[in-house]
Each structure stands twice: as C-alpha cells, then as structure tokens.
Amino acid sequence: MSERRTALACLIPLLLIGAVFFYGFLLWTGWLSLTRSNLLPSSEFVGLQQYERLLLDPRWQAALWNLLRFGLGLVVLPLLIGLGLALLLDQQLRGEGLLRWVWLHPMALSMVVTGSAWRWLMDPEQGLAEAVRGWGWTGFRWDWLAQEDMAVYALVVAAVWQISGFVMALFLAGLRGIDESMLQAARLDGARGWKLLRRVILPQLGPSLASALLVLLPAAIKTFDLVVVLTEGGPGQSSELPAFYMFQMAFERSRLGLGAASAMVLVMMVLSVALPYAVVRSRRRSAA
C-alpha cells in the first residue's frame, strides 16, 4: 500500500503540471481566438470574427493548399517506400542489421538538421547540382528552392527521406508478425508473388498501416521547423504551411487572435485524425 501511495505521490505532480501546460494553455489559446488580441492579449470578446478572417485570408487558403500537396507526398511516398523496404528486408538479406540502421538513421536527426542538410544539397550553385555538373552533366539544375511551384516539393523530399525508415520499421514488424502457417497454406493453394501479397500479406498489415497513418498525418499538419530551416515559407508564400502561418501571425505580424484561431484549427485537424482511431480501437477492445 505504501508503494502505491509513493507512486501516486510521484505521478500526481507530473499529471498536474501536464494538465496545466497542455490543457490550460489550450483553453487559453481557444479564448484568445475569440478576442480582439493583436500585439498583446485582449479581453474584448468578438466571437468567431477571427475565424471568419482566417477562412477569408488568401494566405491561409494558400497554406491549406500547400498542406494538401505536402501531406499527400508525406503520406503516400513513405508508405510505398516503407512497404517496399520492409518487403525487401523480410527476405532475410545478408547485412539486414546494417541496412536497418542505414534506413532508420535519419529518424535520429532533428528536422532542423535534416532541413539544413537538404538546403545545402538543393543549393543550385553548390550542393548536389554542382556535383552532378562536375561529373559532366553541365546542363543539370536542381533549383526547386527558387521555384514557387516546386518549393513545397522540396519539403516533401526532405521529410520523406527522414520518415520513410520509421514506416519501414512498422511494416517490417507487421510482416514478422504474420503467422507462417497462413503463408504456407496460401502457397499450397497456389498464391504466389503479387497474388500472395495482395490477398494475404497486405490485409495482415492493417494495424501497421493504421499506426503509420496515425504518425504521418499529424506530422504533416504540424510541420513547422522544416519549413523554417529549408524554405522559410518562400519564395513568397509558395511553401508556407499552416503551422508556419500560425507562427507568423501570432509572433511576427502582431495578430495574436488570428494566430490563435489558426492554432485551434490545427488542433481540430489533428484531433480529426486521432479521435476516430482512438474510438475504433476502444470499441475493438470492448468487443474482445
């Protein structure tokens, strides 16, 4: 009994601190989004006026369009690359441990380091483009960072490079968890190659896919540091994402209420991904 009390005595302060710094500031941000706050917080209530301004702001609309393109790339490409790498490693290759380390290593880096590295690699005057021209391909250029219609895809390249190894690990764990007897039975029934993959293996990877989506979708919505380091939202606002927009409005443009409104929209976007997963999982547990 004394051990339980000691554990509770250690946990309760941490839970209270977490509640204050998470739920407390979340509620405060929600309140700011309903006020006329600009440079400093204000108590003047304006209802949903800040949300109306947000939805009508062309810059916010452009940020949402950028998020759609960035999010599709950050979800689809890591899923395909991660599944392909997992299927390759599942063939019991020599040096599997080394390959896993190489492909998982980018996850050990922060987005700041990743963005800095890719900013140098994508520099049209030095980086990878200069190296390729030095190999004899004198007409080669990789100037996505300077092109308004391609800058957001530079973010996709850097983010996919960092997170694909993590998705591979999820799928590899799912593959290693498939019952071998099920695979043997499918092979005896004539399932081979693509047919075996489509009808037997992929359906068994549902939990791994759900876990990957639960990581990738919120990661796309919350991406901020990569934008700051790699593109700074430019050229212009061509690679600005909603999280970067929120920072700009709240801390650089002195429009605190508008920034708070955009932050609350981001919270709702993340919850729209996490809550359905939590509900489905709890129902499955209760049914079991």
Side-chain angles (χ1 to χ4, degrees), residues 10-26:
C10 294
L11 285 174
I12 288 176
L14 296 176
L15 293 175
L16 290 175
I17 292 172
V20 170
F21 281 92
F22 181 78
Y23 296 106
F25 283 109
L26 181 63

Side-chain angles (χ1 to χ4, degrees), residues 104-128:
L104 279 171
H105 180 69
M107 279 297 297
L109 304 177
S110 70
M111 276 293 186
V112 173
V113 175
T114 296
S116 300
W118 279 99
R119 182 162 187 159
W120 178 81
L121 286 172
M122 294 184 184
D123 190 313
E125 301 303 327
Q126 36 186 335
L128 185 60

Side-chain angles (χ1 to χ4, degrees), residues 3 25 33 54 68 81 105 135 146 176 202 218 244 246 249:
E3 294 180 356
F25 283 109
S33 70
L54 179 69
L68 177 61
I81 295 172
H105 180 69
W135 297 335
R176 297 285 166 84
L202 290 182
F244 187 78
M246 179 270 295
M249 293 298 110

